[in-house]
Amino acid sequence: MASTKTCFVTVGATASFHDLVKGVLASSFLKALQSHNYTDLVVQYGVDGKQTFESAVKAAGSSGIQISGFELEKAGLGKYMRLAKGSGKETQEGVVISHAGSGSILDALRQQIPIIVVPNASLLDNHQVELAEALAEQEYVVHGKLENLVKALENAEQLRQRQKEWPPANSGVHRQAKAVGLRGILDEEMGFLD
Amino acid sequence: MAFLILTLLTTLLALLTTAAIYRFNVILTPTRNKPLRHGRRNPNEPTHLLVVLGSGGHTAEMLAMLKRSVTAPNAAEKLNWKDYSHRTYVINEGDDISKERVVEFEELAVGTAEDLMAGKVKKATDIGPGKYEIVTVPRAREIHQSLYTSPMSSIACLQACRDILMKHTTDTRDGHAGEAGKVDFPDLILCNGPATATVLVFASVLLRFFDVRGCSTRGKMRTIYVESWARVKSLSLSGKLLCRVVDRFLVQWPQLAKEAVGRVEYRGVLV
């Protein structure tokens, strides 16, 4: 095999998201991964996702995709993000699929890895859908639906061609102010006038 | 006779309420006095920044925002960590992950901080990387527990927050005997949405209400609240509780600034 290409899936640390774990291990999705030349699928399945993950892997059988999973990573997901980002020759850039936690979205945006955001509909106060929609509208992310992850993967492959950088280049509004962003606000409140 | 006592009591209550409302108005106006400063890193004027970290998403967003600022390539945006000679991080008891993240961040932030001067002048003016400490408070509420059904744990958290705000005393340096040994309330409180932050901000308001150790007259504990980046259309519960209490209330989506009330302002995305 010439090069590897990784799809990294994260469900976050606080709530479980069995449907996403099952969704990415469905045979239709694994087939789609293969047709886009993916070689590896890494799943962070969360606190009580081990059983769901293992039975879904068993059900999927052999698919030609190398599947691995883990519960949580105390040291952060940076290692796996870099795996999905790839390093050029040996490893191609893959994709991140996230439960819409702002931490993982930011990580992927900073490193300019294409990301599919799938909000967890079973959470009560689900403002994460709003975040996913707003970011998808500005073409930073692909807003994935559980029913159609295959389509989302196709969209993500297209997004790769026109991946935007984060933070947005013109993010400092109030250009006239001397210091901008968080620093500007802290300076104003501290009374640093220089 | 009973009527007379009742009238007297009512009048007294009305007077007290009016006085309290007046006092709250005075301390909660964002235009209240700021301390007068002489330069950014004046060794005679120690600066104290307190950062509240929640767990999970709140910590991630707070540190992403700080990381972006301390590593910003353009000077106008770059936050110089040495401008704050003392940093306090508040985390929940048992939240070892946040603790690790803070240690990582401090290493990065101090490494990126630039010196104001070079050579001999640097030697004379350098105040070093400063110090930081990580303090813990008991959780205001467990996950999924409502803020209102947990008065006991909230009170325990409130007391812990008061102790934290009064814990640090000014570092004694040569030449600023005037400030040495005083309770060094934070100059700035920077927080986002965890329940702990709400409780800590209310603790700071109570201290200012009674002007404990002159914290209100000295213009201490100005508070900056940053609403979660995930809040696009509506404020969070913490946001609703704090939007008329904190000095600065920042949201990260322009559509939210139009919808919301209070002191809401949009100054671009901060994470």
Side-chain angles (χ1 to χ4, degrees):
Chain A
M1 191 164 294
S3 64
T4 60
K5 187 176 177 185
T6 305
C7 170
F8 173 52
V9 183
T10 170
V11 306
T14 38
S16 54
F17 196 176
H18 300 295
D19 289 339
L20 183 59
V21 175
K22 281 184 215 152
V24 296
L25 289 166
S27 60
S28 59
F29 187 76
L30 292 174
K31 239 177 246 159
L33 280 178
Q34 230 174 346
S35 70
H36 289 292
N37 302 321
Y38 282 85
T39 56
D40 291 82
L41 173 64
V42 183
V43 184
Q44 182 264 316
Y45 48 72
V47 265
D48 53 358
K50 193 176 172 68
Q51 219 175 1
T52 314
F53 173 76
E54 277 169 359
S55 58
V57 168
K58 217 174 271 172
S62 64
S63 57
I65 300 271
Q66 192 78 35
I67 302 170
S68 59
F70 63 96
E71 186 182 317
L72 288 172
E73 181 60 77
K74 228 184 147 190
L77 299 175
K79 186 171 117 192
Y80 301 96
M81 289 283 175
R82 281 191 289 279
L83 211 59
K85 176 69 188 170
S87 56
K89 283 176 190 149
E90 302 273 296
T91 50
Q92 279 187 58
E93 184 181 84
V95 71
V96 174
I97 302 180
S98 154
H99 67 295
S102 46
S104 59
I105 301 180
L106 277 174
D107 269 358
L109 286 178
R110 284 253 157 73
Q111 298 183 50
Q112 297 193 35
I113 315 166
I115 178 165
I116 300 170
V117 175
V118 187
N120 191 346
S122 64
L123 294 180
L124 276 179
D125 180 18
N126 202 355
H127 54 269
Q128 289 180 328
V129 177
E130 289 172 11
L131 179 66
E133 277 170 0
L135 287 172
E137 198 179 292
Q138 299 179 4
E139 298 199 306
Y140 280 108
V141 306
V142 172
H143 181 190
K145 308 270 163 62
L146 273 177
E147 319 76 78
N148 203 346
L149 288 173
V150 173
K151 176 80 182 143
L153 185 67
E154 273 163 28
N155 292 342
E157 289 300 315
Q158 285 162 15
L159 181 69
R160 190 189 309 285
Q161 313 305 322
R162 45 193 160 84
Q163 186 77 36
K164 294 201 231 173
E165 65 175 39
W166 189 274
N170 58 347
S171 61
V173 290
H174 295 263
R175 282 274 155 198
Q176 69 277 22
K178 202 184 165 204
V180 297
L182 182 68
R183 187 228 159 137
I185 297 148
L186 290 174
D187 277 7
E188 284 163 28
E189 288 305 301
M190 283 300 283
F192 290 148
L193 297 170
D194 59 340
Chain B
M1 189 62 196
F3 176 72
L4 195 68
I5 290 171
L6 200 68
T7 318
L8 270 174
L9 277 177
T10 320
T11 317
L12 197 66
L13 197 70
L15 276 173
L16 276 177
T17 317
T18 318
I21 290 173
Y22 174 74
R23 178 70 185 146
F24 271 119
N25 264 333
V26 169
I27 63 161
L28 294 181
T29 315
T31 53
R32 69 195 169 95
N33 280 345
K34 290 175 195 173
L36 185 64
R37 285 186 195 286
H38 308 85
R40 195 174 280 276
R41 286 186 213 165
N42 190 330
N44 291 321
E45 293 171 350
T47 46
H48 183 181
L49 170 69
L50 182 138
V51 181
V52 190
L53 300 174
S55 51
H58 290 302
T59 299
E61 273 199 38
M62 178 60 77
L63 291 178
M65 188 164 73
L66 290 174
K67 245 179 227 168
R68 172 177 165 183
S69 300
V70 297
T71 57
N74 55 330
E77 204 188 329
K78 186 178 160 55
L79 181 62
N80 216 321
W81 211 231
K82 286 188 182 175
D83 287 350
Y84 298 91
S85 54
H86 190 85
R87 285 89 61 185
T88 303
Y89 297 87
V90 181
I91 64 172
N92 284 320
E93 260 165 19
D95 184 4
D96 295 334
I97 296 187
S98 292
K99 199 177 274 181
E100 274 175 45
R101 293 287 173 283
V102 169
V103 175
E104 275 169 30
F105 169 73
E106 271 288 335
E107 232 163 77
L108 170 87
V110 170
T112 57
E114 281 150 17
D115 295 309
L116 289 179
M117 310 285 178
K120 271 186 191 161
V121 190
K122 175 189 178 297
K123 255 188 196 161
T125 56
D126 188 24
I127 57 170
K131 287 181 193 150
Y132 77 94
E133 61 184 332
I134 301 171
V135 293
T136 58
V137 290
R139 281 179 184 279
R141 54 168 175 167
E142 294 304 321
I143 298 168
H144 305 309
Q145 186 188 355
S146 150
L147 194 61
Y148 308 108
T149 62
S150 53
M152 287 318 284
S153 53
S154 292
I155 286 171
C157 183
L158 190 71
Q159 280 173 341
C161 288
R162 179 203 58 196
D163 292 347
I164 281 167
L165 291 170
M166 299 189 64
K167 180 176 183 242
H168 186 65
T169 48
T170 326
D171 305 324
T172 42
R173 281 178 60 97
D174 308 332
H176 73 66
E179 287 291 311
K182 272 191 191 172
V183 173
D184 183 27
F185 295 100
D187 295 293
L188 284 187
I189 297 172
L190 177 65
C191 68
N192 50 20
T196 308
T198 312
V199 176
L200 184 125
V201 170
F202 281 119
S204 80
V205 168
L206 284 177
L207 289 172
R208 271 160 45 207
F209 186 91
F210 296 107
D211 200 14
V212 176
R213 307 275 172 97
C215 63
S216 183
T217 37
R218 285 155 70 200
K220 292 286 186 173
M221 296 188 282
R222 295 190 70 86
T223 306
I224 302 169
Y225 177 92
V226 183
E227 185 59 290
S228 168
W229 179 55
R231 290 291 174 165
V232 181
K233 290 178 184 163
S234 60
L235 294 183
S236 63
L237 175 62
S238 307
K240 282 174 192 150
L241 287 169
L242 291 177
C243 69
R244 293 170 201 279
V245 176
V246 294
D247 296 291
R248 302 294 288 271
F249 191 101
L250 293 133
V251 296
Q252 306 198 53
W253 291 91
Q255 54 268 52
L256 185 54
K258 279 176 205 145
E259 292 294 315
V261 286
R263 295 171 182 164
V264 175
E265 59 181 316
Y266 170 70
R267 297 267 299 244
V269 62
L270 298 173
V271 290

